[in-house]
Amino acid sequence: MENELKQLIIDTLDLEDISVDDIDSQAPLFNDGLGLDSIDALELGLAIRKKYDVKIDADKEDVVKIFSSVSTLAEYIQAARG
Amino acid sequence: MNIDFVLRNWNAWAPGISRHEDWRNWHEHQTFAQAEKAAIPITVPKILQRRLSPLARAVFNAADGCIDSDKSLPIVFSSAHGEVNKSLEMLKSMQKGEEVSPTAFSLSVHNAISGLFSIAYDYHQEITVIAPGQDGIAPAFVEALGLLQEHHSEVLIVLYDEPLSDFYPSLPFALNAPAICALALKVSLTGSGLPLRFCRTPAHRDDGEQALQILSFIKFLVADDKALVLGNHRHSWEWYKK
């Protein structure tokens, strides 16, 4: 799941020079870590909805936590799909 | 009313053409290379490079040669159609019932390229983006010369456009350039450079929209012509080498 998600991130966000192995599952996706921004968050949210049929509400309190790393994102998607 | 100013420096990019010498050669042959993309200046952070369209790359390439290291110039961007080809792609995907990409939307608005520029260069000066419609390149000069009158010592003008998708019927208007082109002009009221005079003329003409006028202005810069008049059926403007 985590690797699949990493590939989705790379393809969706045009991260041409990055491979699945370059993304640390525990590292922050936004700002410091991979350096992604708020537009990327929206784009990724859309891609996740399309691929997994899981909607991540932007006004949810724990949205920052969900998006904090590949690992937390994968956990959330798996839990939401049941 | 005449306004005198000095063209301190200029830099332009089109496929296969970037140095002043290239533009002088182009003036004789008037052809462009096919489908070449502008190099991305090294200042642009890697993570932002993926957001640069071919038009944005042309703009960055032209402007990069004219901005100072202290980034103190206000910038006036001007484009007739901006990234309208991106908007067309979004409309097509909506027609197919697909959801619109937030990234594509954010990069399709008229100030998208100037926004990317300010982020990539950490640029905090005043930035204006003009959509001059049928008035061509003159409104950008009016804006820039106004800023100079407000005591900015130098202003950067960046004119850019790309060919429109043939989805849009352009006739009877002359608005389509043969290639992507971006022209950066650093202007001031005093100092060394090419002294120019800018004024309105009563002539009624049809010199096409900005995409064509950018090339006319570059021709004027590299040729021996003393004056350039550009206008439409409503009003015209003259640039004169003093």
Side-chain angles (χ1 to χ4, degrees):
Chain A
M1 175 74 179
E2 286 185 0
N3 278 350
E4 192 182 280
L5 203 49
K6 287 176 188 176
Q7 194 58 54
L8 181 73
I9 290 170
I10 291 166
D11 297 342
T12 306
L13 308 179
D14 296 326
L15 303 171
E16 286 168 7
D17 302 329
I18 291 177
S19 72
V20 167
D21 295 338
D22 295 331
I23 304 177
D24 178 352
S25 297
Q26 312 299 329
L29 280 175
F30 296 93
N31 302 320
D32 295 344
L34 210 47
L36 304 179
D37 60 20
S38 58
I39 300 278
D40 291 318
L42 291 170
E43 196 71 38
L44 195 53
L46 178 67
I48 288 168
R49 184 143 48 93
K50 273 190 196 164
K51 189 170 168 113
Y52 301 108
D53 199 24
V54 170
K55 190 163 186 262
I56 305 171
D57 242 328
D59 48 13
K60 259 193 189 154
E61 273 176 24
D62 50 354
V63 70
V64 173
K65 221 177 101 195
I66 295 168
F67 272 105
S68 66
S69 69
V70 169
S71 163
T72 55
L73 203 50
E75 231 169 80
Y76 179 81
I77 293 168
Q78 268 164 342
R81 294 169 89 196
Chain B
M1 186 177 63
N2 297 328
I3 300 176
D4 292 344
F5 68 98
V6 178
L7 177 60
R8 305 276 287 159
N9 186 13
W10 65 274
N11 195 33
W13 190 93
I17 309 168
S18 56
R19 297 170 305 165
H20 286 193
E21 190 190 330
D22 303 333
W23 281 108
R24 279 188 284 274
N25 290 334
W26 167 82
H27 177 53
E28 284 168 29
H29 310 292
Q30 312 235 344
T31 54
F32 296 100
Q34 291 299 313
E36 189 197 286
K37 279 187 197 166
I40 297 174
I42 48 166
T43 318
V44 183
K46 192 101 192 144
I47 197 78
L48 273 180
Q49 294 184 6
R50 65 203 162 110
R51 300 251 168 93
L52 269 60
S53 66
L55 183 59
R57 290 168 71 129
V59 168
F60 277 43
N61 201 284
D64 190 79
C66 285
I67 53 169
D68 295 339
S69 53
D70 62 355
K71 305 174 192 169
S72 60
L73 295 77
I75 307 179
V76 178
F77 289 94
S78 176
S79 179
H81 301 108
E83 297 272 27
V84 75
N85 293 328
K86 274 206 163 83
S87 298
L88 176 64
E89 289 310 310
M90 282 196 302
L91 290 171
K92 284 179 178 168
S93 69
M94 284 168 78
Q95 195 179 31
K96 282 189 254 167
E98 291 168 6
E99 285 183 272
V100 173
S101 150
T103 312
F105 174 73
S106 79
L107 295 175
S108 71
V109 297
H110 200 64
N111 58 356
I113 292 178
S114 67
L116 276 176
F117 187 88
S118 73
I119 296 169
Y121 283 79
D122 195 20
Y123 210 90
H124 298 276
Q125 296 301 320
E126 186 173 337
I127 287 178
T128 309
V129 188
I130 294 175
Q134 289 182 50
D135 288 327
I137 63 172
F141 282 84
V142 172
E143 184 71 20
L145 296 174
L147 286 165
L148 291 177
Q149 302 293 334
E150 285 183 346
H151 313 299
H152 289 284
S153 59
E154 290 183 318
V155 175
L156 184 65
I157 300 171
V158 184
L159 311 165
Y160 60 95
D161 266 301
E162 67 179 348
L164 274 181
S165 159
D166 52 16
F167 172 85
Y168 296 109
S170 58
L171 291 171
F173 302 102
L175 46 78
N176 230 346
I180 287 184
C181 185
L183 168 63
L185 304 155
K186 186 156 74 175
V187 298
S188 67
L189 293 180
T190 56
S192 60
L194 176 68
L196 292 168
R197 176 163 292 170
F198 178 62
C199 60
R200 277 184 86 155
T201 75
H204 293 276
R205 319 165 46 96
D206 182 11
D207 295 298
E209 293 193 7
Q210 175 170 294
L212 295 165
Q213 292 193 6
I214 295 173
L215 296 174
S216 303
F217 199 85
I218 296 173
K219 256 182 240 169
F220 169 62
L221 291 177
V222 297
D224 295 328
D225 309 350
K226 194 79 181 154
L228 171 71
V229 179
L230 293 173
N232 55 34
H233 61 283
R234 287 178 299 175
H235 41 239
S236 300
W237 301 85
E238 180 172 5
W239 291 259
Y240 182 83
K241 289 176 187 158
K242 280 161 65 188

